[in-house]
Amino acid sequence: MSDRSTPRPLDAIDWPPAWPRVLDAEFGSPTEGDYRARPEDFLVEEALDFVPEGEGEHLWLHVEKRDLTTVMVVRELARLCDVSPRVVGYSGMKDRVAVTRQWLSVQLPGRQAPEGLDEALAERGVRVLEMTRHPRKLKRGVHRSNRFRLRLTGPVVADDGLAARWEHLLERGVANYFGPQRFGPEGRNLQRARSLLARGWRKRDDRGGMLLSAARSFLFNELLAERIREDSWGRLLPGEVVNLDGSASQFRLETPDAELEARAVRLDLHPTGVLWGVDGSPAEGGPQACEARLAERFPGLCAGLEAAGVRPGRRPLRLRLTDARLERGDGELWLAFTLPRGAFATAVLRELMVHPTL
């Protein structure tokens, strides 16, 4: 681990980044379009792998929120229940300009829900769909997936090539970029992270690890972009660490054989990329060399994350779209699909249309 007192370089980071689309090589640049003109154009529903038990000291609420961040709902729920926001749990952060459904929990040992809680939340744009109990707090990242239904408008609706691009995504998968919301408006979260890591990160500097997450997400996107330019983002290379689709299972391949390569074509296996941390990468060969080049290009971010003691992780380079549909209406187009937790719907949209926020 690097010495936290050692000054680190201030990496040169251009914004917005020129991360390539996968489909441009075959179809050219997509057409301009609009999405999320109103919250009802962006519908998200969170899916858990389990159901609450119906008893316990934690009150669980299945809610539908409109034009609110998850954090805003957490604070309001804590206020109405007269508890600290720290005892309110949620699995995933959901978009603000959207209509989203997710579970929240609030610790109320020996207490009933405040009278009129659902009505008070409704006045603030939060509809309670269900209330029940569970012995434990809802923890971050325990949901299985998110179901999206998105309305597109503008020139993209009349794009003759859109259907072909959509079918290609269904057959070949989607590049698993972190979405622009991870980096803040105009990349400000990333620029703050760059400066913070250059001088040395401390826990008091970053509530919730937001800036560390922005730095790791940027490095991952840079790695994915290089693999796309090499046309290796969906292929299994010797020394690759692969992810079994729909699970957390990962293992390294010494030399991919024909059967494993066929499974990759079927989207059953995906190459992975490093989420930078202190202990290096288990990848070998070409994949490891590609990851090592991140430290050469962005020494400040990489050394700063190591000095901060961030644990490494891995993320699939590719996503499979499930339960996917494309529906055309009068001057509009609706996309419906399910993504695993941690994936961004904007990664799908940027392959299909041009928009300033993508």
Side-chain angles (χ1 to χ4, degrees):
M1 185 183 300
S2 303
D3 184 350
R4 296 189 182 202
S5 64
T6 302
R8 285 171 283 278
L10 196 64
D11 298 326
I13 298 176
D14 296 327
W15 198 267
W19 293 324
R21 298 181 184 90
V22 171
L23 298 185
D24 285 5
E26 182 171 347
F27 298 98
S29 297
T31 303
E32 292 183 359
D34 295 313
Y35 76 105
R36 200 150 47 185
R38 54 181 184 167
E40 289 75 14
D41 293 346
F42 201 96
L43 310 177
V44 189
E45 183 158 11
E46 184 180 86
L48 297 179
D49 259 338
F50 59 94
V51 296
E53 296 179 7
E55 58 182 12
E57 66 177 40
H58 293 265
L59 176 69
W60 281 46
L61 303 93
H62 191 207
V63 303
E64 179 183 276
K65 65 179 184 65
R66 180 189 183 279
D67 203 23
L68 295 166
T69 67
T70 298
V71 171
M72 292 166 70
V73 178
V74 165
R75 290 172 178 166
E76 185 61 20
L77 180 59
R79 187 188 70 80
L80 292 170
C81 293
D82 194 25
V83 298
S84 167
R86 290 193 299 271
V87 305
V88 178
Y90 58 92
S91 182
M93 299 282 283
K94 298 294 180 283
D95 299 81
R96 174 169 184 171
V97 185
V99 176
T100 68
R101 292 183 173 186
Q102 69 180 124
W103 282 93
L104 302 171
S105 73
V106 55
Q107 188 175 20
L108 296 175
R111 292 174 52 194
Q112 297 298 316
E115 185 175 353
L117 177 62
D118 50 352
E119 291 89 349
L121 287 170
E123 292 177 359
R124 290 155 179 82
V126 182
R127 185 160 67 100
V128 177
L129 306 174
E130 182 181 355
M131 278 196 288
T132 185
R133 289 273 179 166
H134 194 67
R136 292 173 295 280
K137 179 181 181 180
L138 178 58
K139 294 184 178 181
R140 294 291 300 271
V142 301
H143 63 292
R144 179 182 71 250
S145 61
N146 290 299
R147 177 70 178 167
F148 295 90
R149 182 169 165 79
L150 313 178
R151 177 177 178 263
L152 310 186
T153 57
V156 69
V157 176
D159 182 2
D160 292 336
L162 178 71
R165 298 178 79 96
W166 175 249
E167 290 299 321
H168 195 284
L169 293 181
L170 298 184
E171 294 174 5
R172 299 283 300 276
V174 180
N176 192 17
Y177 282 117
F178 283 98
Q181 54 268 56
R182 180 58 58 93
F183 308 107
E186 300 177 352
R188 287 196 287 270
N189 287 349
L190 178 61
Q191 300 300 343
R192 288 172 59 201
R194 180 188 69 154
S195 299
L196 190 63
L197 293 174
R199 72 171 185 263
W201 179 84
R202 298 291 188 272
K203 283 188 177 181
R204 64 177 178 271
D205 292 323
D206 178 19
R207 291 174 55 189
M210 177 183 66
L211 300 185
L212 298 182
S213 178
R216 294 216 302 172
S217 300
F218 172 79
L219 292 171
F220 176 88
N221 280 10
E222 286 287 327
L223 172 68
L224 175 54
E226 182 173 346
R227 293 286 297 259
I228 290 172
R229 295 185 186 103
E230 294 177 349
D231 193 27
S232 67
W233 72 285
R235 293 189 291 114
L236 305 183
L237 305 179
E240 194 89 70
V241 178
V242 299
N243 166 247
L244 180 62
D245 184 68
S247 79
S249 176
Q250 296 180 356
F251 55 94
R252 187 175 63 220
L253 301 178
E254 301 302 328
T255 303
D257 57 25
E259 179 182 353
L260 291 172
E261 290 172 350
R263 291 180 66 185
V265 171
R266 297 195 304 266
L267 306 182
D268 186 37
L269 294 175
H270 306 295
T272 67
V274 67
L275 295 169
W276 204 272
V278 294
D279 295 325
S281 168
E284 296 180 347
Q288 193 279 332
C290 187
E291 294 174 4
R293 285 194 287 275
L294 289 174
E296 298 172 2
R297 296 171 56 207
F298 305 103
L301 292 183
C302 292
L305 287 167
E306 293 173 12
V310 175
R311 297 180 61 183
R314 299 200 70 81
R315 177 179 172 92
L317 299 181
R318 186 174 62 177
L319 294 169
R320 179 204 291 267
L321 293 176
T322 58
D323 305 320
R325 298 195 312 277
L326 184 155
E327 302 170 357
R328 293 187 179 274
D330 185 13
E332 64 182 20
L333 186 150
W334 285 90
L335 301 178
F337 50 87
T338 298
L339 295 177
R341 68 175 179 267
F344 288 77
T346 49
V348 180
L349 293 180
R350 73 188 305 270
E351 293 287 352
L352 300 173
M353 59 184 255
V354 173
H355 189 276
T357 65
L358 300 174

